[in-house]
Amino acid sequence: MNPSLIKFLNENRIHEVECVIPDMTGIARGKILPRDLFLSAGEMRLPKSVLLNTVNGQQPDNGPYVGDTDPDMVCVPDADTVRIVPWAAEPVAVVIHDCQEWDGSAVALSPRSVLRKVLKLYQDKGWDPIVAPEMEFYLVAKQNNPHEPLQPPLGRTGKPEAGRQSYSIDAVNDFDPFFMELSNFCSQHQLGVETLIHEAGPGQMEINFSHGAPLDLADRVFLFKRTVRETALRHGIFATFMAKPMEQEPGSAMHIHQSIVDSSTGQNIFSLADGSASPYFEQYIAGLQKYIPQLMPMFAPYVNSYRRLSPFMSAPINVRWGNDNRTCGIRIPKSGASARRVENRVPGVDVNPYLAMAATLACGYLGMHEQLSASAPTIDSAWNVSHELPRHLEDAIEAMRACEPMHEVLGSAFVEAFCA
């Protein structure tokens, strides 16, 4: 057992440990162990098929992907991920685990393994990707009938939001008790949350994360979703990360800002010494343009996801790119040369963060590897452009299965199992 992990448990007088892995949907699966059993075991065993659970708890025929005997995998704690569970009544820790085969190799179906596989491609080039996700979600009133439309919750004024409140400070303040506790939980959970704003929809919020390494950010987003849901329940409301929870309101996205730095110099490879954009910058954009439509199940994983992708609703329908142009699927924020970055606006907030980050980095990598050329930047509105993304989940799955370069980058075993 890692000494730093033992030290953490001792210093915080931990009673129990939540041993978790993210499945392909991004839901936490695992076991809760007493501290002593966690330390003596040193690992957790789970059926490999757990990774194939769908969002409603069902599975495809898993024999072709995990074997007919439904074997176990070995889940090893990642000491860098240990955190206090801030809402627990007694001292409880949570530790994210890596999934391994019995020979110590990575389980190809594990979302963390897929992201690590993509990051290794960058590491071999001497590059370090940097990402910063933006998380949109809705607060909604509690209801027991799943067939009724969701409604905005009542804030401290006792009234639901009647209209859109984009960037309204007062609308955020209406839920001050919720956000104060959420901020406290995020701080204790060491999630690195930065900015809070009210988005366009009634009860729709956005929280931004500080930029950093992709695996660490995926871990933080994974834990953040659970933190938001738990906090909402404590305040008598629900939080939803559906991509399109309300038919007439904007959907919720997980925009991903990304840049690449040279591992030895720390310089942004998207910029040349004179401050102008490098060839890598255009190639990266071109990779996103070519491959995002072929990886849509990783950016829009459910039937509901495609209801978000509609024109004039603050959601992209294309892979055009533009400078500070929010109508494009690929936006280039205004910045200095050292902070030159690309914003992928296609992913919904319903994604598995490990897979969405792996997918967007894989697209950019292939763009640089294949030395692709991007289209001309879009100067005006791109909402009038024809749809360039799959319109339905079935079409998206078919396109992903047929994308041979991604079988190589992500692993054929993963691609086939994820599509199934």
Side-chain angles (χ1 to χ4, degrees):
M1 182 66 70
N2 188 293
S4 66
L5 190 50
I6 298 173
K7 181 181 178 182
F8 181 93
L9 300 183
N10 289 337
E11 289 180 347
N12 291 280
R13 300 180 179 179
I14 296 300
H15 287 235
E16 291 181 334
V17 181
E18 295 180 347
C19 306
V20 301
I21 62 167
D23 68 8
M24 285 192 180
T25 67
I27 292 175
R29 310 283 180 182
K31 301 177 181 179
I32 300 175
L33 300 180
R35 174 187 177 278
D36 292 344
L37 180 56
F38 170 76
L39 290 174
S40 62
E43 64 186 34
M44 170 179 65
R45 298 180 185 181
L46 290 175
K48 199 184 301 184
S49 59
V50 166
L51 292 167
L52 292 170
N53 282 353
T54 58
V55 74
N56 61 3
Q58 297 177 331
Q59 289 187 355
D61 176 15
N62 58 47
Y65 314 111
V66 302
D68 294 331
T69 62
D70 196 11
D72 274 348
M73 58 186 172
V74 180
C75 303
V76 180
D78 182 344
D80 292 337
T81 68
V82 65
R83 288 166 166 84
I84 293 288
V85 178
W87 53 82
E90 294 185 333
V92 176
V94 60
V95 185
I96 302 172
H97 287 50
D98 283 310
C99 302
Q100 296 181 357
E101 304 285 1
W102 289 99
D103 62 2
S105 61
V107 173
L109 308 187
S110 164
R112 283 188 116 225
S113 299
V114 174
L115 179 53
R116 287 186 191 275
K117 183 177 175 68
V118 174
L119 294 177
K120 180 66 164 55
L121 297 174
Y122 282 86
Q123 181 184 347
D124 291 345
K125 293 284 189 180
W127 297 334
D128 291 326
I130 304 295
V131 300
E134 300 173 348
M135 306 289 295
E136 298 172 348
F137 60 93
Y138 274 87
L139 299 177
V140 298
K142 270 190 173 183
Q143 62 179 58
N144 296 321
N145 186 347
H147 303 293
E148 292 182 358
L150 298 177
Q151 299 294 332
L154 301 181
R156 62 181 182 177
T157 61
K159 300 177 181 179
E161 292 183 17
R164 296 182 179 176
Q165 303 283 346
S166 185
Y167 290 91
S168 168
I169 298 299
D170 289 340
V172 171
N173 289 342
D174 204 21
F175 297 97
D176 261 354
F178 165 82
F179 283 112
M180 288 178 65
E181 185 159 48
L182 178 63
S183 177
N184 183 40
F185 284 167
C186 287
S187 177
Q188 293 181 59
H189 225 24
Q190 298 177 313
L191 297 184
V193 167
E194 282 192 340
T195 309
L196 163 67
I197 65 170
H198 195 295
E199 262 295 347
Q204 187 185 30
M205 309 296 171
E206 176 180 302
I207 288 183
N208 301 336
F209 285 77
S210 55
H211 63 274
L215 184 61
D216 177 50
L217 263 299
D219 286 338
R220 285 152 57 185
V221 170
F222 171 62
L223 296 170
F224 172 76
K225 285 186 173 183
R226 185 182 177 206
T227 303
V228 172
R229 292 189 184 104
E230 178 65 30
T231 308
L233 289 173
R234 291 165 66 94
H235 290 264
I237 55 180
F238 288 155
T240 178
F241 292 92
M242 288 180 68
K244 187 74 168 179
M246 300 182 188
E247 183 179 3
Q248 301 301 323
E249 300 298 337
S252 294
M254 187 181 84
H255 300 152
I256 305 175
H257 293 250
Q258 54 218 283
S259 59
I260 315 295
V261 299
D262 186 286
S263 303
S264 57
T265 67
Q267 298 299 308
N268 187 337
I269 72 167
F270 288 164
S271 298
L272 298 174
D274 63 2
S276 61
S278 72
Y280 285 134
F281 184 61
E282 180 184 350
Q283 292 166 7
Y284 194 96
I285 293 171
L288 295 176
Q289 289 187 305
K290 178 178 179 179
Y291 287 109
I292 282 177
Q294 300 179 66
L295 285 187
M296 280 302 288
M298 298 174 77
F299 299 125
Y302 309 116
V303 171
N304 176 266
S305 307
Y306 296 83
R307 296 173 185 152
R308 164 182 162 257
L309 301 172
S310 58
F312 308 108
M313 291 292 284
S314 301
I317 60 170
N318 59 71
V319 286
R320 302 302 169 96
W321 74 278
N323 293 299
D324 199 17
N325 189 338
R326 286 185 170 84
T327 69
C328 294
I330 303 164
R331 172 177 171 258
I332 311 304
K334 289 187 179 297
S335 68
S338 63
R340 180 173 274 116
R341 61 193 185 276
V342 178
E343 179 189 5
N344 182 357
R345 296 175 61 81
V346 174
V349 80
D350 54 350
V351 297
N352 178 322
Y354 300 93
L355 298 184
M357 290 183 191
T360 194
L361 292 172
C363 293
Y365 174 84
L366 283 177
M368 296 185 291
H369 178 71
E370 298 174 6
Q371 298 183 349
L372 301 178
S373 297
S375 68
T378 298
I379 306 302
D380 50 12
S381 174
W383 281 335
N384 296 316
V385 175
S386 298
H387 281 267
E388 297 175 339
L389 301 172
R391 303 294 300 276
H392 307 284
L393 183 59
E394 288 296 328
D395 293 342
I397 292 170
E398 184 177 339
M400 182 170 172
R401 276 203 174 109
C403 185
E404 288 301 327
M406 284 303 171
H407 280 259
E408 179 70 24
V409 172
L410 303 175
S412 286
F414 163 76
V415 171
E416 292 298 335
F418 181 72
C419 288

